[in-house]
Amino acid sequence: MNVLFLIFHGFDPNNGISKKISYQVEALKKCCTNVHLCYMDEIETKKRIVDGKEIADFGNGILSKIRKRIEFSPIIKYAKDKHIDLVYIRSNHNANPFTINFVKRIKKNGTKVVMEIPTYPYDSEYKAQRMSKQIFFDKIFRRTLAKQLDAIVTFSDYNQIFGQRTIRISNGIDFDSVKMKNNVNDTSNELNLIGVAEIHEWHGFDRLVKGLADYYSKTQKYLVKFHVVGYFFSKEIENEFNNLISTNKLEKYVILYGKKHGKELDSIFDKCDMGIGSLGRHRVGIDKIKTLKNREYAARGIPFIYSETDSDFDQKPYVFKVPANETAIDINSIVEFYKRISITPMEIRSSIIDLSWKHQMKIVLNSIKP
């Protein structure tokens, strides 16, 4: 099978989203004969690139910004010339007459087309970021676009999205890229929590800080610290978070690192004991979701906390579920939970072997075969 993986934005190997796409592409290569990645390069001029080679140059200026959003003939020609069997689109929430026509035309050659929607539903996320205008046309045309597809790939539990059948998979893991935590720390006097994210309001890290404020409102012999790794999505979120820390005098207990990766990130994980997943997905109207971060914590081999519904982990003994509401997180309950569990990092990592990207992408391929 020949597969074209299509994204409508740039591709930076150091970017989190691009890394995920790289893992998906490599997983598809392990399942298929040929896989090609198509993306935008806007360093000098706006170019459409496949496997590092230019297939279209839209130039610069206002016209180029329009052309890159409406001209898809080079992709259609490439797919025909290379006998592409499947086009795997990563949605950019850009349903419009041009993307609809693109899918119609490419399917005339017998090519199947599926579209991955990374987060669903997503309207509330745009609203929360005051960006609802960006999906004005998407709201109008997305059901029409969905009708042209062979399926929608989702990390949710929805059987249908926009009237189209779904292929339900989980966010996967590239185990070679995630270092397992080898040591188990002495937690007799101290517990270290870690949250890694580009921090949005739906991560709900403020709920944990409020929990720490309640916890340290009384004298405590047992220390609990929160290590926060990653940039804040906006200055507003960052200021609110910092004010929460300073108002409650938690500077010794909430450590902010900024963005870290590689060996620096590994070293922070080594001194931490438990991961903090999303604690505020309810703020953007999401209940069921299979986040990449939960899987990364499990691959690291550490227990973790979250508030959404994630069918891959809800019953795991190393997961601590908290209510999906605005209450402060009960720190004592976390400490008690951690003291109760007895499981090694290797046992945690081994429990998600079926969540490899190869296994997940194989589900997609098997679902679109005649």
Side-chain angles (χ1 to χ4, degrees), residues 43-268:
I43 295 175
E44 294 179 357
T45 60
K46 291 174 174 57
K47 301 184 183 73
R48 205 175 294 281
I49 305 292
V50 178
D51 296 340
K53 296 180 180 179
E54 175 190 319
I55 63 167
D57 188 341
F58 302 122
N60 281 317
I62 295 175
L63 185 59
S64 68
K65 293 180 180 180
I66 297 171
R67 291 178 65 194
K68 75 172 187 176
R69 289 175 169 83
I70 68 173
E71 289 189 22
F72 300 108
S73 293
I75 303 174
I76 295 168
K77 182 179 185 303
Y78 181 90
K80 185 176 181 180
D81 292 345
K82 297 294 183 179
H83 307 289
I84 297 296
D85 303 296
L86 170 67
V87 174
Y88 186 104
I89 300 173
R90 179 184 165 94
S91 172
N92 202 31
H93 308 149
N94 57 338
N96 58 53
F98 302 100
T99 50
I100 292 167
N101 186 54
F102 160 64
V103 173
K104 283 182 178 178
R105 289 176 61 193
I106 210 161
K107 288 188 70 176
K108 284 183 178 179
N109 297 324
T111 303
K112 292 190 178 291
V113 183
V114 300
M115 183 173 72
E116 173 193 309
I117 299 180
T119 302
Y120 180 83
Y122 53 83
D123 289 354
S124 295
E125 286 194 2
Y126 277 87
K127 186 176 180 181
Q129 297 174 56
R130 301 183 181 93
M131 297 166 61
S132 294
K133 290 181 180 179
Q134 290 192 14
I135 56 169
F136 175 79
F137 288 107
D138 182 78
K139 287 182 177 181
I140 296 172
F141 293 105
R142 58 194 179 190
R143 293 188 73 87
T144 305
L145 175 61
K147 188 177 180 180
Q148 303 303 320
L149 301 168
D150 290 287
I152 287 176
V153 179
T154 181
F155 304 108
S156 70
D157 291 332
Y158 289 90
N159 294 318
Q160 281 195 350
I161 292 178
F162 306 142
Q164 178 59 267
R165 78 175 180 100
T166 61
I167 300 172
R168 296 179 299 284
I169 65 172
S170 294
N171 261 309
I173 281 291
D174 180 84
F175 287 96
D176 293 336
S177 69
V178 182
K179 180 179 178 290
M180 188 182 73
K181 179 181 168 67
N182 292 314
N183 63 306
V184 177
N185 301 317
D186 178 5
T187 56
S188 55
N189 298 306
E190 182 175 321
L191 187 69
N192 285 275
L193 312 174
I194 181 170
V196 183
E198 179 190 74
I199 305 160
H200 292 255
E201 66 166 333
W202 58 76
H203 288 108
F205 287 174
D206 57 292
R207 294 183 63 196
L208 189 70
V209 176
K210 289 173 183 175
L212 287 169
D214 291 344
Y215 183 73
Y216 285 113
S217 64
K218 300 175 184 177
T219 302
Q220 300 290 346
K221 292 183 179 179
Y222 191 89
L223 295 180
V224 178
K225 296 180 180 179
F226 183 26
H227 302 258
V228 182
V229 183
Y231 293 139
F232 290 85
F233 173 73
S234 70
K235 200 67 181 175
E236 181 183 358
I237 294 172
E238 183 177 11
N239 289 339
E240 288 177 0
F241 198 78
N242 286 327
N243 287 338
L244 195 57
I245 294 169
S246 59
T247 300
N248 293 285
K249 298 180 173 57
L250 294 172
E251 289 85 355
K252 290 193 298 183
Y253 310 111
V254 182
I255 302 96
L256 305 177
Y257 293 85
K259 189 175 182 180
K260 300 293 180 183
H261 53 83
K263 290 183 179 180
E264 281 187 299
L265 180 59
D266 292 340
S267 68
I268 299 171

Side-chain angles (χ1 to χ4, degrees), residues 5 7 11-30 35 37 39 90 174 177 357 361:
F5 197 114
I7 58 177
F11 184 79
D12 176 1
N14 295 315
N15 171 274
I17 292 174
S18 295
K19 283 183 179 179
K20 172 185 170 181
I21 291 167
S22 293
Y23 300 148
Q24 289 178 287
V25 169
E26 289 306 309
L28 283 168
K29 286 180 179 178
K30 292 175 182 177
V35 184
L37 175 63
Y39 58 94
R90 179 184 165 94
D174 180 84
S177 69
W357 271 122
M361 299 313 289

